[in-house]
Amino acid sequence: MTPNRGRWLQVALLSAAFVVLVAISLASIYWLNRARDDAAWVAHTLEVENNISLALLQIRRAESAERGYLLTEKNEFLDEFELAASTILPQLRTLQQQTKDNAEQQRALTEIFTLAQSRLDQFRQVLELGKERKVNQAAEMLRVNAGRETMNRIRELALEMRRIEQRLFRERTIAAERSQSLAAAVTTSGAWLVVILATISIALLRRSAKARDEAEAKLLDANLNLESIVTERTADLREANEEIQRFAYIVSHDLRSPLVNIMGFTSELEELRHDIFRRIETLSRDPATAPMPETADSDSDPQLSDTDQKLSQDFSEALGFIKSSIGKMDRLITAILALNREGRREFRPVRIDTRELIEGIVSTVAHQAAEANAQIRVEPLPEIVSDRLALEQIFSNLIDNALKYLKAGVPGDIAIRGREKLGFAIFEIQDNGRGIDPKDHQRIFELFRRAGPQDRPGQGIGLAHVRALVRRLGGTMSVASTLGSGSTFTITLPTKWLATSRDTAA
Amino acid sequence: MSKPVTIIMIEDDEGHARLIERNIRRSGVNNEIVPFTNGTAALDYLFGSNGIGHLHKDRPLLILLDLNLPDMSGIDILRRVKENDHLKCSPVVVLTTTDDAHEIKRCYELGCNVYITKPVNYESFANAIRQLGLFFSVIQVPQAVA
């Protein structure tokens, strides 16, 4: 599984869990509300039933009070009757209110209501008769039994109503139970769903955590590997470098040996030339007129004919070229050997006040500077830890160059500046000399290469040497210059060079 | 009268050998010069087949030694000569192209008597050899110890 897909799956799962949770909450709320409503309806049904019973009871109470009065003529029964009669109608009205939703019950109630009213009217007539002492008439009324029918009808109706209510009660109880069990089911299943989603999420999280740990371990491995590779490469490089050093040393040495011969036998040839031309002179002279003159002045130049003179000159010229070339080759080999020796010298890092060091160099070139009509300004420079001899060679080469390649007729102005930045000291040697063509900026750092008019002595070694030293000291150098307007050499050196850092610079 | 000194010249470059010989002769030194172009032959001559080196017990020797030989380093020859009871008093002149300070120091430590770097410039070279020849003509060399 790609990490991206895993992340998306996790997000999707969490969102799903959230949605499920919300849905379950809403469903629960809904079903609980439903259950509460159903329960309320159940209670309502019970109340209606109760009220029906109460209403019946009151009618009966009124009836028995009426009879009691007729029998005893006691006023407590009258009071009793009034109390009962006054509650009947309100009771029925309450019932009417409560069963508003049920047309059947309403119809029954309306009938009960009229019946109850007529019954109450009958009661009152009987009671009036009783009050006026027309007991017979009252008894007659009772005997007519009209009230009994009304009463039976009321009872029937009430019974019917209660039956309806009981049926409703049963229905509503079932509904309430169903709502409750549904609510419970929804909540439980929701809880399970949430648990399952959480488990999956945790599993996914653990898997991604594991993947991350593995990746971390791999990264660590790779880092270690990289380090060992770097160490290995550094060792290889150092070895290669040492091999090149040895190679340069051996080659230059072995080149020197034949050179000694070439030079030696060329000189021997020169000697021979002298002898040969003397013999030519002797032979070409008339032997009769010249009796052995060579014994008289063997060291003087032989007297030669024009042709022989020409030969002698050609001979000398050829030998001259050979000798000058050998001299040049010897100087180059000597330079390579000197560079090689420098390259193999062990550096010793010490704390150096570079300003003091450079002022020392400046004082040794004061005479040259005065001759060249140049001034050298040394500005405050940072202290660094480096190899003293190497620094001396670097700066004296650069200052020498600045003095050497000034513009004719312009007073020289050489400035040496320095600053520190991020653990490196940056030095600038600026002059107002003849400058260097940008196309030569790389070339001047190469061994035996020079740029510009070749009117000054030199072999093209200085800057190559300086750059090699700067590199060995763990630094870099560059030049900024345009032809005719001076040059600035910039050297960046670590402020704290340690002998071990040579490994990386090598 | 002591016997004339024999000069043993161990030099692999025949050109150099020739130039050295010529210039020594020019300085008026006429001693016998025995040239060798490799270390093995020179060692055979110096120490004999048994390696004891008593062959030359009655002859004063002077050894002219180049360090860069095809079959061994001149330093090995120098060490063996200076470790040998019969030869250790013979002067050894190292004449070589090597101008490495380490090598020079090592040679003197091993008992070399003179160390000369061959100058490429022929004038200097010839001069050096001639002066060496003059030096040879006045130097007192002991006979090899019996």
Side-chain angles (χ1 to χ4, degrees):
Chain A
M1 177 170 64
T2 62
N4 217 21
R5 242 187 81 198
R7 204 174 313 133
W8 276 113
L9 201 59
Q10 270 183 39
V11 169
L13 265 173
L14 282 175
S15 320
F18 182 72
V19 168
V20 165
L21 211 64
V22 168
I24 287 165
S25 303
L26 288 176
S28 291
I29 289 166
Y30 172 73
W31 284 110
L32 281 173
N33 268 335
R34 270 290 291 275
R36 205 180 55 206
D37 284 355
D38 287 346
W41 278 114
V42 170
H44 177 76
T45 314
L46 289 172
E47 207 183 326
V48 169
E49 239 188 293
N50 190 31
N51 278 342
I52 293 165
S53 304
L54 274 174
L56 267 177
L57 189 71
Q58 293 303 338
I59 292 170
R60 283 182 194 246
R61 226 174 113 196
E63 198 178 6
S64 62
E66 175 208 27
R67 299 216 173 131
Y69 181 73
L70 284 180
L71 288 172
T72 61
E73 293 190 2
K74 277 186 183 161
N75 276 337
E76 299 108 81
F77 286 109
L78 260 184
D79 291 343
E80 174 88 22
F81 172 81
E82 284 305 328
L83 195 68
S86 70
T87 54
I88 289 169
L89 291 182
Q91 190 85 46
L92 286 173
R93 246 177 241 119
T94 316
L95 262 175
Q96 248 175 336
Q97 284 289 319
Q98 280 173 339
T99 57
K100 242 188 206 156
D101 57 320
N102 199 323
E104 212 178 343
Q105 300 285 62
Q106 286 282 309
R107 249 195 332 275
L109 265 175
T110 323
E111 202 178 329
I112 290 174
F113 199 77
T114 40
L115 287 169
Q117 249 174 349
S118 68
R119 188 80 179 110
L120 278 175
D121 287 344
Q122 280 177 0
F123 288 157
R124 277 182 218 289
Q125 279 174 7
V126 172
L127 282 176
E128 287 306 313
L129 288 171
K131 275 179 205 163
E132 290 161 15
R133 310 282 174 206
K134 294 170 186 168
V135 179
N136 292 338
Q137 267 184 348
E140 181 61 31
M141 264 194 92
L142 285 176
R143 223 175 295 126
V144 170
N145 226 357
R148 177 160 304 222
E149 265 173 44
T150 321
M151 203 53 212
N152 277 345
R153 181 73 190 137
I154 288 178
R155 206 177 295 127
E156 263 171 37
L157 283 169
L159 212 65
E160 182 61 24
M161 277 183 78
R162 281 171 74 174
R163 246 201 327 274
I164 289 170
E165 282 305 320
Q166 265 159 11
R167 199 193 68 226
L168 279 174
F169 174 76
R170 271 196 308 280
E171 280 172 7
R172 281 168 183 174
T173 310
I174 290 165
E177 266 168 12
R178 210 185 52 218
S179 305
Q180 265 164 13
S181 59
L182 257 172
V186 164
T187 311
T188 321
S189 60
W192 275 113
L193 215 61
V194 167
V195 166
I196 288 165
L197 287 173
T199 314
I200 293 170
S201 287
I202 286 167
L204 276 176
L205 267 176
R206 281 183 61 176
R207 198 152 73 181
S208 70
K210 204 175 136 202
R212 193 198 55 213
D213 286 353
E214 272 168 11
E216 239 168 46
K218 258 187 208 161
L219 197 68
L220 203 72
D221 260 16
N223 269 344
L224 283 176
N225 246 347
L226 203 65
E227 234 158 74
S228 70
I229 287 170
V230 166
T231 320
E232 214 171 277
R233 294 281 151 83
T234 312
D236 285 355
L237 271 179
R238 203 164 53 227
E239 210 168 282
N241 195 44
E242 275 164 14
E243 204 158 298
I244 288 171
Q245 297 263 13
R246 270 198 304 278
F247 174 77
Y249 181 79
I250 290 168
V251 164
S252 42
H253 254 289
D254 289 2
L255 282 179
R256 219 176 196 185
S257 231
L259 207 60
V260 169
N261 277 339
I262 298 168
M263 195 68 176
F265 286 102
T266 310
S267 299
E268 294 289 316
L269 268 182
E270 237 175 352
E271 295 277 312
L272 280 177
R273 179 195 78 101
H274 196 78
D275 294 349
I276 289 167
F277 282 98
R278 185 165 299 283
R279 274 191 76 77
I280 290 172
E281 178 204 33
T282 319
L283 292 173
S284 63
R285 207 174 275 168
D286 186 359
T289 53
M292 309 303 283
E294 68 264 38
T295 46
D297 53 346
S298 58
D299 282 348
S300 68
D301 275 354
Q303 302 294 308
L304 295 169
S305 65
D306 284 353
T307 344
D308 293 341
Q309 190 76 39
K310 184 81 174 54
L311 268 175
S312 171
Q313 272 169 11
D314 286 355
F315 214 108
S316 292
E317 193 191 45
L319 285 175
F321 275 123
I322 292 171
K323 284 179 91 171
S324 73
S325 296
I326 294 167
K328 195 170 172 192
M329 194 157 166
D330 178 44
R331 279 194 300 279
L332 295 184
I333 290 173
T334 310
I336 293 175
L337 279 173
L339 270 181
N340 185 265
R341 198 170 303 131
E342 264 311 309
R344 290 192 298 170
R345 190 171 69 80
E346 287 290 322
F347 282 176
R348 268 194 305 276
V350 288
R351 177 156 285 283
I352 299 163
D353 180 351
T354 44
R355 184 167 195 195
E356 196 185 303
L357 181 134
I358 288 172
E359 272 168 353
I361 295 169
V362 168
S363 68
T364 62
V365 296
H367 179 68
Q368 286 162 261
E371 261 184 2
N373 190 20
Q375 61 152 338
I376 304 177
R377 291 178 287 130
V378 183
E379 292 178 12
L381 299 171
E383 273 196 1
I384 67 171
V385 175
S386 208
D387 184 81
R388 177 173 283 275
L389 189 57
L391 279 195
E392 266 171 13
Q393 287 171 337
I394 291 169
F395 285 111
S396 64
N397 260 299
L398 290 174
I399 293 168
D400 265 353
N401 276 354
L403 282 172
K404 210 157 137 187
Y405 302 108
L406 285 170
K407 221 166 5 186
V410 179
D413 180 24
I414 298 160
I416 296 140
R417 279 186 288 270
R419 64 199 146 93
E420 260 184 89
K421 195 177 174 190
L422 299 170
F424 282 90
I426 300 163
F427 298 95
E428 282 177 3
I429 292 94
Q430 187 176 26
D431 63 56
N432 62 344
R434 53 174 78 162
I436 303 154
D437 195 315
K439 73 174 162 55
D440 288 329
H441 283 183
Q442 274 308 310
R443 206 180 125 78
I444 53 168
F445 290 110
E446 287 167 20
L447 195 57
F448 305 137
R449 298 283 175 273
R450 305 173 76 199
Q454 306 289 304
D455 57 348
R456 294 282 192 280
Q459 293 168 49
I461 289 170
L463 282 176
H465 185 200
V466 166
R467 190 163 72 165
L469 285 173
V470 168
R471 281 183 174 166
R472 268 191 71 191
L473 286 173
T476 55
M477 80 177 292
S478 62
V479 62
S481 175
T482 47
L483 207 54
S485 60
S487 322
T488 305
F489 284 88
T490 307
I491 295 175
T492 309
L493 290 170
T495 47
K496 249 196 154 94
W497 182 80
L498 302 167
T500 49
S501 55
R502 183 195 167 182
D503 296 354
T504 51
Chain B
M1 187 66 205
S2 61
K3 291 190 180 178
V5 176
T6 307
I7 297 171
I8 313 286
M9 182 166 62
I10 308 167
E11 166 67 68
D12 68 311
D13 191 314
E14 286 179 59
H16 285 199
R18 192 91 186 86
L19 288 173
I20 290 167
E21 196 183 339
R22 267 192 202 185
N23 282 289
I24 286 176
R25 295 276 177 250
R26 273 181 195 146
S27 68
V29 172
N30 293 311
N31 299 48
E32 186 192 357
I33 294 177
V34 187
F36 294 98
T37 54
N38 63 66
T40 318
L43 284 178
D44 277 353
Y45 179 81
L46 284 173
F47 295 97
S49 52
N50 57 8
I52 298 171
H54 66 284
L55 289 171
H56 315 284
K57 62 182 177 183
D58 296 328
R59 296 164 63 198
L61 297 179
L62 188 147
I63 300 167
L64 211 52
L65 181 64
D66 185 8
L67 289 187
N68 306 310
L69 298 172
D71 52 350
M72 65 180 72
S73 163
I75 285 178
D76 292 333
I77 298 173
L78 174 65
R79 187 188 294 117
R80 283 196 61 184
V81 166
K82 288 300 172 183
E83 279 172 356
N84 184 283
D85 287 338
H86 304 290
L87 297 171
K88 66 181 174 191
C89 291
S90 304
V92 176
V93 175
V94 174
L95 183 61
T96 187
T97 47
T98 312
D99 58 354
D100 188 81
H102 277 290
E103 293 285 85
I104 297 170
K105 189 163 165 264
R106 211 155 145 235
C107 284
Y108 279 112
E109 276 168 3
L110 287 172
C112 126
N113 303 78
V114 181
Y115 190 109
I116 300 168
T117 303
K118 287 178 195 164
V120 173
N121 182 300
Y122 185 65
E123 293 303 317
S124 324
F125 182 80
N127 240 325
I129 302 300
R130 273 174 219 162
Q131 280 172 22
L132 191 65
L134 287 177
F135 175 65
F136 288 167
S137 64
V138 295
I139 190 173
Q140 290 298 316
V141 178
Q143 290 194 356
V145 185

